[in-house]
Amino acid sequence: MAKHKKHKKYNPNYTKNSEKTAVTAKKHLGQHFLNDEAIAKKIGDTLTLNGYQNVIEIGPGMGVLTKYIVQKDLNLIAMDLDSESIAYLNTSFQLEHNEVLRNTSFKVLEADFLKFDLDSLFPNEQFAITGNFPYNISTQIVFKTIEHRDRIPEFTGMFQKEVAQRICEKEGSKAYGILSVLAQAFYDSEYLFSVPPDVFNPPPKVDSGVLRLIRKKDYSLPCNEKLFFRVVKTAFGQRRKTLRNSLKVFQLSDEIKASEIMAKRPEQLSVQQFLELTSILEKSQE
């Protein structure tokens, strides 16, 4: 009598030894593959799924984070520029995780996130962004997220630790800068946890940090957006100077020059104060 085969329970921790070296980390792409399952799951759990069902994962590599994301009730696009990673995700990864992938919407896309037209993905729908981001383009990923904030209610992922801290930093700190102000003007930021180098292959020379950005309920600005961006970038472009000196290009009136806020340096201003300052400059230019 033939014996019935027992169905194996899905185990996201399982990876065949022969597949561990299927993709080689490439230095020019800033790849460092996470190999700690507990941390991968923890990053996957940073997604709240509050107000969206669609997710783009940037830089999935060999899918260590991907396999935890696809277990959730969502639609996932894994986007990578590395053709070797794309081939792996379309073959070995899908064969190994076939059981869970049958019950989810999963697509692999070979593309450069920074150049890709995001409006073509999940048309007219909201989507979140997550990933173990290549450190060499991580800040550009944040700027593109800000640019598409109308469609991106949540952003989570792993950066070089000092970059993640900078994004979440508040005024009064030397780390506080352009990225801090622009991100926090539209999103509530939270630094979640740190990750040591030894859980990556190859290990980076720095610690990593995971953060979450949740779009504010009212993320419209009370001032001209282009002027706001220009004021922030100009101020921090000469961060050692007082605003009275760094913002001379805006042809400040004597009244504005004499105001108390103009005696401060940019890192001393909160996001709200930068918004108020932009409104003042906007009115003076009318």
Side-chain angles (χ1 to χ4, degrees):
M1 190 178 190
K3 293 183 179 179
H4 291 288
K5 291 184 178 179
K6 293 183 179 179
H7 291 288
K8 293 182 179 179
K9 188 176 180 181
Y10 175 66
N11 179 7
N13 297 323
Y14 173 72
T15 304
K16 294 178 182 177
N17 290 331
S18 60
E19 294 174 350
K20 286 184 179 179
T21 57
V23 181
T24 304
K26 298 165 187 65
K27 188 175 182 180
H28 73 281
L29 293 178
Q31 291 176 327
H32 296 277
F33 294 145
L34 179 67
N35 55 28
D36 186 299
E37 299 290 342
I39 292 175
K41 183 179 186 304
K42 198 173 177 182
I43 297 173
D45 287 341
T46 61
L47 294 168
T48 67
L49 301 184
N50 185 13
Y52 63 90
Q53 287 295 117
N54 308 308
V55 176
I56 298 174
E57 181 192 0
I58 301 172
M62 291 176 64
V64 65
L65 171 58
T66 313
K67 61 191 175 188
Y68 292 104
I69 299 174
V70 295
Q71 293 179 60
K72 303 176 184 296
D73 182 19
L74 49 72
N75 308 311
L76 176 64
I77 292 177
M79 183 184 293
D80 207 306
L81 185 58
D82 182 11
S83 58
E84 193 176 13
S85 290
I86 294 296
Y88 178 86
L89 292 168
N90 275 323
T91 53
S92 300
F93 178 83
Q94 297 206 31
L95 287 171
E96 184 178 347
H97 303 288
N98 178 61
E99 184 178 340
V100 70
L101 290 175
R102 281 183 301 183
N103 301 315
T104 190
S105 172
F106 175 61
K107 180 181 178 182
V108 179
L109 184 60
E110 183 174 357
D112 182 342
F113 175 80
L114 297 180
K115 297 178 181 178
F116 197 81
D117 178 13
L118 297 184
D119 291 332
S120 66
L121 303 177
F122 308 118
N124 302 316
E125 295 182 14
Q126 300 282 290
F127 60 87
I129 289 176
T130 193
N132 172 20
F133 304 122
Y135 294 158
N136 56 350
I137 63 166
S138 61
T139 56
Q140 295 173 68
I141 291 173
V142 176
F143 282 127
K144 185 161 184 175
T145 296
I146 293 171
E147 182 183 340
H148 292 270
R149 58 189 176 276
D150 287 348
R151 298 193 59 212
I152 305 175
E154 187 170 273
F155 176 102
T156 77
M158 182 151 54
F159 294 77
Q160 182 176 329
K161 184 177 181 179
E162 66 176 36
V163 175
Q165 290 176 326
R166 187 184 311 143
I167 294 169
C168 300
E169 194 60 84
K170 301 300 180 185
E171 69 274 13
S173 165
K174 289 183 179 180
Y176 182 72
I178 295 173
L179 201 55
S180 320
V181 176
L182 298 186
Q184 292 174 42
F186 307 103
Y187 290 87
D188 292 321
S189 63
E190 183 182 6
Y191 185 90
L192 299 175
F193 57 90
S194 301
V195 181
D198 59 5
V199 297
F200 294 91
N201 181 29
K205 296 180 180 179
V206 294
D207 285 347
S208 302
V210 176
L211 60 73
R212 177 166 53 220
L213 302 178
I214 296 180
R215 191 177 61 199
K216 295 181 177 181
K217 289 183 180 180
D218 180 7
Y219 56 93
S220 59
L221 299 185
C223 58
N224 181 280
E225 181 185 313
K226 288 185 178 179
L227 182 59
F228 172 67
F229 276 60
R230 189 180 165 211
V231 168
V232 173
K233 291 179 179 180
T234 303
F236 281 104
Q238 301 181 69
R239 64 181 301 147
R240 292 185 179 181
K241 293 185 178 182
T242 63
L243 296 172
R244 185 178 294 116
N245 291 314
S246 63
L247 299 181
K248 280 182 178 178
V249 67
F250 292 98
Q251 297 180 330
L252 307 173
S253 67
D254 290 339
E255 183 182 356
I256 293 175
K257 287 180 184 177
S259 63
E260 187 178 337
I261 196 171
M262 301 306 290
K264 294 185 177 182
R265 292 184 174 83
E267 69 268 18
Q268 295 176 291
L269 268 63
S270 67
V271 175
Q272 182 59 37
Q273 286 176 309
F274 266 110
L275 292 169
E276 292 170 358
L277 175 58
T278 303
S279 294
I280 292 171
L281 294 177
E282 185 177 0
K283 289 177 182 177
S284 71
Q285 294 176 2
E286 291 177 350

